[in-house]
Amino acid sequence: MTARSIASAPLRNTFGVDARAGRLIETDDADDLPGLFAGELAGASPLVVGSGSNLLIVEGPALALALTSNTIRILASHDGHAIVRADAGTQWHAFVLWTLEQGLAGLENLALIPGTVGAAPIQNIGAYGVEVGERIHAVEVFERATGAFQRFDAAACAFAYRDSVFKHALDRYLITAVEFALPQAAALPSSALRLDYAGIREELAVMGMAAMGIDAPDARTVAEAVIRLRRRKLPDPAVVGNAGSFFKNPIVPLAQAEALLAAHPRLPVFRGAGDDSRKLSAAWLIDACGWKGRRSEEGSGDAAVSAQHALVLVNHGRATGAELLALARRIAEDVQARFGVAIEPEPRLIGARW
Ligand code: FAD
Ligand code: EPU
């Protein structure tokens, strides 16, 4: 199709913040991009949007661009593995279910994460002990400045916790498609499934005892357990606006983690980026400061910390992006003052800086 251009377009975002783009350009064909960036978008820096599930919009952008193409193809299949390619506009969870239906494993722990395939590599989405970078074969991009298409293999993507090369080049690359290397579920022993994240084995046990009668789980059963856990733990954006975890879990030097653990023995501490660092639970730090379930007293009073999960900021209805950001700043100040730890937002802030 030719690209559609919509003036003063509402910008979808799971926070449910009222926001518009001065102009939104939508295309379902990545081959439109060279023409767009040589013409209508020449010299412009449009905000690329997927499903808006990791955005906090304080002020709407002048220009936004959405890639809606959603074709999925199996490119190759051999030696118990398949290479699967999905266009950027494919919905992530629908894609995970599709791979499972094809008898492919590898993405089961990442079930029910909102958003698009194109956004998944940006912050290297992760959940329940798996990060998407571990399953990515290559990322296909369009480079805005040169108008050229390129392909990054997994090593070139520099994936790390909630990080990638693309996150540091948001105005440079547009992700057009992602290729995944996935094992055939039938060729995968149960022992290769990732079941160690807190809650998974317990959920599988409950499911087995309650109805399913399954002793050795398969990838589809693990996906089901993850879906059940997520539905219980996280507020549903269709019910109350949110962007999932609002803060990243902070990574601190080992010595600082040990000192904090000595003072607060219940603080959850996980392995960090290497032997000399540790990842702390931001939810626990925020909870310990008494923020869980608290509403902001400013403005509409609808910006709040979820009563279900301390790491999730919610919009009870009329909260603006600025109110949610003000609340986030107060929380981060408290955590800094009480524990000496800096926490940083995970969602991208639009129209404001942290
Ligand atoms: P958007 O929010 O639209 O955009 C996010 C960023 O990606 C922006 O910087 C945007 O410019 C950029 N972008 C989007 N598409 C492209 C593209 N094609 N090319 C270049 N840049 C692009 N995240 C996790 O990692 N783990 C979780 O468990 C998790 N749980 C969540 C639960 C809930 C309830 C919610 C609301 C969010 C959760 N998230 C989680 C965050 C979110 O789902 C992911 O970050 C997701 O990848 C965002 O996808 P999106 O399409 O909505 O991207
Ligand atoms: N906890 C509290 N209070 C709470 C909630 C949690 O103290 O209200 C403590 C508990 O001790 C719990 C620990 O925090 O054991 C960790 O909680 P959880 O397992 O929910 O994980 P998380 O660190 O809060 C991370 C990701 C999530 C991902 C889950 C599951 C980040 C920033 N968040 O949350 O990702 O789904 O693990 O793997 O890394 C997202 O990025 O948007 C997101 C939801």
Side-chain angles (χ1 to χ4, degrees):
M1 92 174 191
T2 15
R4 285 205 308 158
S5 176
I6 309 153
S8 186
L11 260 194
R12 266 188 315 154
N13 62 98
T14 58
F15 254 130
V17 162
D18 198 12
R20 283 180 182 272
R23 181 166 295 278
L24 169 68
I25 296 177
E26 240 179 41
T27 176
D28 66 359
D29 187 353
D31 288 336
D32 284 345
L33 295 172
L36 279 171
F37 279 89
E40 198 175 347
L41 292 176
S45 279
L47 169 70
V48 184
V49 285
S51 303
S53 64
N54 216 24
L55 301 178
L56 176 58
I57 306 173
V58 176
E59 201 182 311
L63 262 180
L65 174 63
L67 265 181
T68 57
S69 43
N70 59 6
T71 305
I72 307 174
R73 277 189 295 141
I74 295 182
L75 298 183
S77 193
H78 48 76
D79 302 332
H81 275 76
I83 305 292
V84 184
R85 178 186 188 278
D87 282 340
T90 312
Q91 286 301 309
W92 176 260
H93 180 58
F95 174 63
V96 172
L97 295 182
W98 184 91
T99 61
L100 291 166
E101 275 159 23
Q102 304 304 307
L104 298 171
L107 300 179
E108 55 279 359
N109 297 55
L110 302 175
L112 211 65
I113 298 180
T116 54
V117 164
I122 301 280
Q123 72 158 0
N124 182 21
I125 57 169
Y128 292 93
V130 173
E131 289 181 338
V132 75
E134 299 173 65
R135 308 292 186 237
I136 285 180
H137 178 64
V139 175
E140 299 176 23
V141 304
F142 171 77
E143 190 176 15
R144 299 186 196 190
T146 59
F149 289 95
Q150 293 179 34
R151 198 163 167 279
F152 283 67
D153 64 21
C157 297
F159 289 120
Y161 169 64
R162 295 297 187 270
D163 202 18
S164 72
V165 72
F166 310 110
K167 197 164 170 185
H168 301 278
L170 288 169
D171 282 333
R172 184 165 176 193
Y173 300 115
L174 232 147
I175 293 176
T176 54
V178 183
E179 297 168 26
F180 299 85
L182 303 176
Q184 305 280 359
L188 195 73
S190 245
S191 59
L193 295 167
R194 298 271 178 88
L195 308 178
D196 288 340
Y197 194 94
I200 295 194
R201 288 183 201 279
E202 293 80 351
E203 197 63 29
L204 286 167
V206 170
M207 286 162 62
M209 281 185 283
M212 306 188 65
I214 288 164
D215 297 329
D218 60 8
R220 296 173 89 150
T221 317
V222 173
E224 187 55 32
V226 167
I227 290 168
R228 288 165 56 112
L229 278 166
R230 292 183 67 97
R231 288 212 167 112
R232 208 161 55 232
K233 279 192 173 188
L234 292 169
D236 178 356
V239 177
V240 60
N242 75 85
S245 301
F246 191 86
F247 295 99
K248 290 182 282 187
N249 286 324
I251 295 176
V252 301
L254 176 61
Q256 188 181 4
E258 282 172 347
L260 281 164
L261 199 53
H264 311 280
R266 300 171 81 91
L267 168 67
V269 176
F270 309 97
R271 289 197 66 79
D275 287 344
D276 51 1
S277 69
R278 291 291 180 270
K279 195 196 276 179
L280 311 178
S281 160
W284 191 93
L285 298 171
I286 294 167
D287 209 341
C289 289
W291 276 104
K292 192 168 177 175
R294 260 174 73 184
R295 275 175 106 112
S296 159
E297 281 151 24
E298 288 164 43
S300 66
D302 280 347
V305 178
S306 168
Q308 222 173 319
H309 199 300
L311 198 47
V312 181
L313 296 199
V314 291
N315 173 8
H316 283 297
R318 295 157 305 158
T320 62
E323 287 168 15
L324 287 156
L325 180 58
L327 175 64
R329 287 195 171 122
R330 289 188 57 200
I331 294 168
E333 279 162 20
D334 272 7
V335 169
Q336 177 73 54
R338 170 116 191 252
F339 297 106
V341 174
I343 53 173
E344 290 177 359
E346 179 192 282
R348 178 169 179 190
L349 307 182
I350 308 300
R353 282 175 174 278
W354 180 240

